[in-house]
Amino acid sequence: MSFNNYENVLLEEPEEGIAVLTINRPKALNALNLATLKDIGDALREVKGREDIRVVIVTGSGAKSFVAGADIKEMQNDNVTEALKLSKLAHSSFGEIEHLPQFVIAAVNGYALGGGCELACSCDMRIASTNAKVGQPETGIIPGFGGTQRLTRVVGRGKAKELIATCDMIDAKEAYRIGLFDEIAEPEELMDKAIEIAHKIMKNAPLSVARAKYSVDRGADLPLDVAIDLESQIWGEMFDTQDQKEGMAAFVEKRPKHFTGK
């Protein structure tokens, strides 16, 4: 069952705290157009206020493609104004992932090219099937959905420049080697692997997962001394939570932890 009626994405009701967001344009290999980008942003904003959702898995419909890129057929005749509108909408929608308190896992099931690679890079981690292909094969333009920025933060400046300048499409094994993918699974095991990791995450305190995510993401954009101060501040604030008391008490008492997210 889906939360809401979206034309281009499916957002399923959570099972055991896990919600699945599926980009659902299989005939277009899940390519991103204005309507799809809007649906992604709207769906993620719907997730944000749901305390019963601990982890979100983002994937693509069908076996061939996670997201094959932006919809070239729709944007090939765009002018500057229309192109900027598309880029800004993508930045807004993908930015919702980084603003979520929930942990977001990309389950990359096939092609993740251009906007697909950029969507995956906005997630907290990336698990890929062995048949995945990834790259930034832009045609006559540069990446416009975060590729020059998020890809650089994931794989480093030199490798990001290489992938963007060559337009090379690399396989899952090479993407794993350079750190673009965090895990690889056989296609039929991809979602099971993502769910397995989700359950590991959900054993930990919701507030600590959310604040750790924020500290990593925010700190990456700050000078080290400022980022260290941010970490210390957040670390200290966690001592004013019930989950900190529960976690440390359970450790000392050698018993299971029971977190409440407070």
Side-chain angles (χ1 to χ4, degrees), residues 51 54 201-211 235 237-252 255-262:
E51 292 185 0
R54 294 285 310 282
I201 292 167
M202 290 189 296
K203 289 179 180 179
N204 296 305
L207 287 175
S208 65
V209 171
R211 297 306 285 163
W235 184 76
E237 290 171 356
M238 298 305 298
F239 280 77
D240 195 31
T241 67
Q242 294 178 22
D243 281 350
Q244 175 268 328
K245 306 293 188 295
E246 167 62 17
M248 292 189 176
F251 178 84
V252 171
R255 61 170 175 80
K257 299 179 285 289
H258 300 287
F259 295 121
T260 61
K262 299 179 180 177

Side-chain angles (χ1 to χ4, degrees), residues 210-225:
R211 297 306 285 163
K213 169 178 171 171
Y214 175 83
S215 185
V216 170
D217 287 345
R218 185 74 181 96
D221 299 326
L222 298 171
L224 181 59
D225 57 340

Side-chain angles (χ1 to χ4, degrees), residues 25-220:
R25 299 184 70 212
K27 292 182 179 179
L29 295 179
N30 304 318
L32 301 173
N33 58 9
L34 276 169
T36 305
L37 289 168
K38 183 179 183 303
D39 282 352
I40 291 171
D42 288 344
L44 290 168
R45 282 184 284 274
E46 189 172 357
V47 165
K48 194 171 186 176
R50 293 281 297 258
E51 292 185 0
D52 58 330
I53 298 174
R54 294 285 310 282
V55 176
V56 180
I57 298 172
V58 179
T59 193
S61 180
K64 291 184 178 180
S65 182
F66 174 69
V67 169
D71 196 322
I72 303 296
K73 291 182 179 179
E74 289 198 14
M75 73 177 186
Q76 64 178 328
N77 295 317
D78 280 358
N79 57 34
V80 172
T81 300
E82 291 165 337
L84 284 173
K85 179 180 179 181
L86 185 65
S87 177
K88 289 182 182 297
L89 180 58
H91 288 313
S92 173
S93 294
F94 293 0
E96 291 293 336
I97 293 173
E98 295 165 331
H99 297 149
L100 286 178
Q102 294 96 337
F103 200 89
V104 183
I105 300 170
V108 181
N109 53 319
Y111 292 112
L113 305 176
C117 180
E118 291 163 309
L119 173 59
C121 283
S122 70
C123 296
D124 298 311
M125 70 174 295
R126 289 152 293 284
I127 305 170
S129 68
T130 52
N131 66 354
K133 303 286 186 182
V134 62
Q136 294 288 165
E138 271 65 30
T139 54
I141 53 175
I142 72 166
F145 294 1
T148 64
Q149 303 306 310
R150 292 192 181 95
L151 180 61
T152 300
R153 286 162 169 77
V154 172
V155 302
R157 186 179 300 183
K159 185 56 69 173
K161 286 181 179 179
E162 177 188 342
L163 289 171
I164 293 167
T166 62
C167 293
D168 279 348
M169 183 168 58
I170 60 176
D171 61 19
K173 184 177 179 180
E174 175 63 8
Y176 176 77
R177 187 188 73 82
I178 66 174
L180 181 48
F181 292 153
D182 303 296
E183 299 277 352
I184 300 177
E186 293 300 322
E188 65 274 13
E189 298 171 355
L190 177 64
M191 290 302 292
D192 288 342
K193 184 66 175 177
I195 291 169
E196 175 189 341
I197 293 173
H199 281 301
K200 288 183 179 180
I201 292 167
M202 290 189 296
K203 289 179 180 179
N204 296 305
L207 287 175
S208 65
V209 171
R211 297 306 285 163
K213 169 178 171 171
Y214 175 83
S215 185
V216 170
D217 287 345
R218 185 74 181 96

